[in-house]
Amino acid sequence: MDFSSFLVAWSTLLVSSLVSSVGSEGATRIAPGDIPAIYNFGDSNSDTGGIAAAFFPMAAPCGETFFHRPVGRASDGRLIIDFIAERLKLPYLSAYLDSIGTDFRHGANFATGGATIRRQNESWFENGISPFPLDIQVEHFVQFKARSTYLQDQAINETFRRSNLPIPEEFSKALYTFDIGQNDLAVGFRKMTDEQLRAAIPDIVNQLAAAVQTFLLHRNPSSSGEILHQPSMATYRLPSKPLDLDVTIVFAKHLKNVNRRHGNLKPYAIF
């Protein structure tokens, strides 16, 4: 089947929370109050100001329908990550790269518009590719955790703890969300044949899985690190090149294989 227009969906949520473990066929509902913080990684689907802080600020009509001004989101309103924060009764996430008016007490956003899972030999000025791919975002988090923990540990007591930084003990209870991958496909559509892109998908999935595994190391041994698949849609229209490639099915197949290799990853439901 040829596809000149199709939907590609993927978004992965890593959950490490206080809720009890469930069987592989079950699901647990996460309620407001269960999660003290959110740490997000991704691209423009969930960027709340990272790429705008690194390069140029967003302009109208961005932000006009809800915030009534541009607020670093590539949207005229809120993003899915904003609705997740609202549902969990948490503040909207500050971008890690933003230096003004940030509050990281209940999490941080490491996503940047144009980000990819794999490193790309392209630039923001050439094709809108972020210089902060997923592995760099993960490194940003590792540094953020180490530095904020150090600063909090220097406080004399609870009274003197820094109010805009996370409590170290809450990293193991936080929600870790990943919404990334569409730009890897966009690069593939520009540079690869259908066969080359199909062949690249296992490596894309494996690099995403490696990032997820990194965050299992940040959880408390008594808590449960989980993966939840939550689709977000991106439409690609390529009228000059019909596609004989169902990328969604290929991606889902390899992601399912990754889940099978990690039998301890069980589904959670947020809503």
Side-chain angles (χ1 to χ4, degrees):
M1 179 183 296
D2 291 338
F3 294 88
S4 59
S5 175
F6 61 95
L7 290 177
V8 176
W10 77 63
S11 173
T12 305
L13 301 180
L14 168 65
V15 181
S16 177
S17 69
L18 287 177
V19 294
S20 59
S21 296
V22 295
S24 59
E25 300 299 322
T28 296
R29 182 174 298 274
I30 300 174
D34 288 341
I35 303 296
I38 303 173
Y39 295 97
N40 182 69
F41 307 81
D43 52 32
S44 59
N45 287 343
S46 59
D47 180 4
T48 55
I51 204 68
F55 290 98
F56 305 105
M58 297 294 176
C62 290
E64 67 178 11
T65 65
F66 181 79
F67 300 100
H68 306 299
R69 62 185 180 88
V71 287
R73 292 157 174 78
S75 168
D76 64 352
R78 289 163 289 181
L79 306 174
I80 291 176
I81 192 65
D82 294 318
F83 289 106
I84 292 175
E86 287 181 0
R87 175 65 178 83
L88 297 177
K89 306 299 183 184
L90 295 174
Y92 297 135
L93 294 182
S94 293
Y96 170 73
L97 295 177
D98 203 351
S99 59
I100 300 176
T102 53
D103 185 351
F104 301 121
R105 172 62 186 83
H106 294 285
N109 195 348
F110 300 88
T112 58
T116 53
I117 294 173
R118 303 199 300 179
R119 294 184 182 184
Q120 306 294 334
N121 190 25
E122 296 188 356
S123 76
W124 173 256
F125 301 103
E126 180 184 3
N127 287 308
I129 296 298
S130 169
F132 308 106
L134 183 57
D135 64 327
I136 299 301
Q137 294 180 27
V138 171
E139 286 300 318
H140 284 170
F141 168 80
V142 172
Q143 182 178 174
F144 171 84
K145 180 182 178 183
R147 294 180 66 187
S148 59
T149 299
Y150 171 80
L151 290 172
Q152 294 288 37
D153 287 346
Q154 298 306 301
I156 301 174
N157 53 46
E158 292 291 331
T159 304
F160 290 93
R161 280 196 160 183
R162 296 171 184 262
S163 61
N164 63 340
L165 291 179
I167 302 300
E169 295 78 14
E170 293 182 349
F171 280 106
S172 64
K173 307 170 187 176
L175 173 69
Y176 296 87
T177 61
F178 296 79
D179 189 345
I180 193 168
Q182 62 181 0
N183 294 313
D184 292 85
L185 297 185
V187 172
F189 294 149
R190 286 198 302 271
K191 292 186 170 182
M192 300 178 185
T193 65
D194 293 354
E195 293 73 20
Q196 289 172 329
L197 180 53
R198 183 190 293 271
I201 287 178
D203 184 57
I204 296 173
V205 174
N206 286 336
Q207 290 199 32
L208 173 60
V212 170
Q213 284 296 307
T214 298
F215 286 89
L216 293 181
L217 300 177
H218 292 280
R219 65 186 175 94
N220 188 306
S222 63
S223 65
S224 299
E226 314 294 339
I227 291 181
L228 166 70
H229 311 302
Q230 173 84 7
S232 60
M233 301 300 183
T235 303
Y236 297 89
R237 300 182 181 277
L238 303 171
S240 61
K241 181 190 177 190
L243 294 178
D244 187 15
L245 176 65
D246 189 340
V247 180
T248 304
I249 294 176
V250 175
F251 173 84
K253 173 185 175 182
H254 288 284
L255 186 58
K256 187 174 182 179
N257 289 338
V258 168
N259 286 344
R260 187 179 296 116
R261 292 201 302 268
H262 304 287
N264 63 322
L265 301 179
K266 302 180 285 291
Y268 270 73
I270 288 187
F271 303 110

